[in-house]
Amino acid sequence: MTRDEMTCQEFVEFLMAYLDEELPGRQRTVFEGHLEDCPPCKVYLDTYRETVELGRRVCDGDAAPPEDVPESLVRAILAARRS
């Protein structure tokens, strides 16, 4: 990525590298710039982080998921973990 703009599709493609802190400096700057300018992508990132945290809580077995989490989602996370 050499330009100073990023599309929402590119944002999604770089999301894991961003969360894993693996984006090089310039790419990270462009990613974060897009995040500041695109409220839907900010919501997407926040929701993604919440989903990852929920998955960790369910998979660790130490804490029950919040009561408002559908049982089908919990089962899907556990099934994905087993595969």
Side-chain angles (χ1 to χ4, degrees):
M1 173 181 14
T2 58
R3 61 188 192 281
D4 290 339
E5 293 183 22
M6 173 181 281
T7 66
C8 295
Q9 179 63 39
E10 290 169 329
F11 177 88
V12 171
E13 292 172 7
F14 285 97
L15 183 60
M16 288 304 300
Y18 176 76
L19 292 174
D20 290 339
E21 298 183 7
E22 295 175 351
L23 280 182
R26 182 73 189 132
Q27 287 179 336
R28 184 176 190 85
T29 299
V30 172
F31 184 95
E32 289 173 344
H34 179 85
L35 194 56
E36 289 175 14
D37 295 337
C38 185
C41 283
K42 171 74 170 120
V43 170
Y44 184 84
L45 175 62
D46 293 343
T47 302
Y48 192 88
R49 283 181 169 150
E50 289 174 25
T51 302
V52 168
E53 180 56 31
L54 173 62
R56 286 188 183 131
R57 288 178 61 193
V58 169
C59 293
D60 287 345
D62 293 338
E67 289 184 25
D68 62 339
V69 174
E71 181 64 28
S72 60
L73 177 57
V74 173
R75 285 194 305 270
I77 291 170
L78 292 174
R81 185 168 187 239
R82 287 188 284 264
S83 8

